[in-house]
Amino acid sequence: MKLGNFELLALSDGTFALDGGQMFGVVPRALWEMKLPPDDRNRVRLGLTCLLVRTGTHNVLVETGIGDKFAAKYIDIYGIEKTTTLPVELAKAGLKLEDIDVVINTHLHFDHCGWNTRRENGRIVATFPRARYCVQRGEWDHALHPTERDVASYVTEFFRPAEVQTEFLEGDQEIVPGVRVEVLPGHTRDLQCVHIESEGQRACFISDLVPTRHHLPYPWIMAFDLYPMETLANKHRLLPRLAEQGTLVIFPHDPDVPWARVSDENGRITAMPLS
Ligand SMILES: [Zn+2]
């Protein structure tokens, strides 16, 4: 997909599955099961979409999927299916691991930073040897000291071995020309989404503010969110703007549609098929 002078590629790291109740918060199963039918363990299948932005000067990778370091027990619990992997997808796009200049993590939950690191000769090392890894400082600190409520969402070995290559961000900022992050608290205190703009064309990696297109309706908010009322307020702030500007929205976990443009009809936000 072309975006002005940039090239965007949606790269998959396979799929996983989470409890449907956790994914849809206060929305009853009678409603969400019509959108995503659960399996016999009440889990819904989810995508693991990462975004590669080729600006012509930089290769910027947004998110790194779930990785390959989970033990069998968690592969079962989270229904991880490696139909493909991020490194395979990068290779298909003609890129080596050392070609990645910047990695942006919107937050450090295990399904967003899995390939920040990889195993090599029994050690865990940074996957992208030349990259600077960009993460909010508040998210990093929280990931190392989570609460009892969200401790299961963080796996230290997925991100900490890349610490020396990590740039700790403090709030909104430009990462490279045309790529900037905006902090939108709710899912976590320091969740950031990524805005991409070239030649007046816009895209937004919206992260877990809107994990799938089924989460576009305002009250469809995950039970995982630490601050759900802030998620609600930030959806109201951001989504009408994205609709008005014709922004391409990239969803991290939609099982069927990695990206879409959205429309706002009298306060109802819906995904439009790409023509
Ligand atoms: Zn996620």
Side-chain angles (χ1 to χ4, degrees), residues 2-157:
K2 277 269 173 210
L3 188 88
N5 297 327
F6 294 179
E7 191 185 347
L8 303 183
L9 286 97
L11 305 178
S12 170
D13 191 38
T15 68
F16 74 135
L18 289 173
D19 184 272
Q22 289 181 310
M23 274 310 283
F24 290 102
V26 297
V27 177
R29 173 168 164 166
L31 293 183
W32 61 251
E33 72 179 357
M34 293 190 284
K35 307 287 183 186
L36 290 182
D39 67 12
D40 56 8
R41 294 160 79 182
N42 205 50
R43 300 176 306 181
V44 293
R45 184 131 307 272
L46 298 166
L48 289 159
T49 299
C50 313
L51 179 71
L52 179 69
V53 185
R54 307 194 72 172
T55 70
T57 317
H58 297 95
N59 291 316
V60 180
L61 180 62
V62 182
E63 314 288 56
T64 64
I66 205 164
D68 69 344
K69 292 185 292 301
F70 266 133
K73 172 184 162 186
Y74 293 98
I75 291 173
D76 173 55
I77 291 173
Y78 296 124
I80 297 169
E81 287 183 11
K82 284 295 180 186
T83 46
T84 184
T85 70
L86 176 61
V88 165
E89 294 292 300
L90 284 170
K92 276 196 223 162
L95 287 167
K96 298 193 283 290
L97 300 177
E98 52 268 35
D99 293 332
I100 301 299
D101 300 294
V102 179
V103 173
I104 301 174
N105 292 117
T106 64
H107 61 306
L108 293 171
H109 285 170
F110 63 70
D111 53 325
H112 294 256
C113 66
W115 283 108
N116 276 26
T117 62
R118 66 185 173 95
R119 281 207 186 84
E120 188 185 69
N121 305 324
R123 291 171 56 232
I124 296 179
V125 299
T127 303
F128 305 100
R130 283 185 50 258
R132 70 182 161 114
Y133 288 72
C134 295
V135 62
Q136 289 291 321
R137 178 180 296 282
E139 176 66 20
W140 180 278
D141 291 344
H142 182 80
L144 292 175
H145 305 282
T147 70
E148 288 164 316
R149 189 172 190 272
D150 63 348
V151 66
S153 298
Y154 293 101
V155 183
T156 309
E157 67 180 14

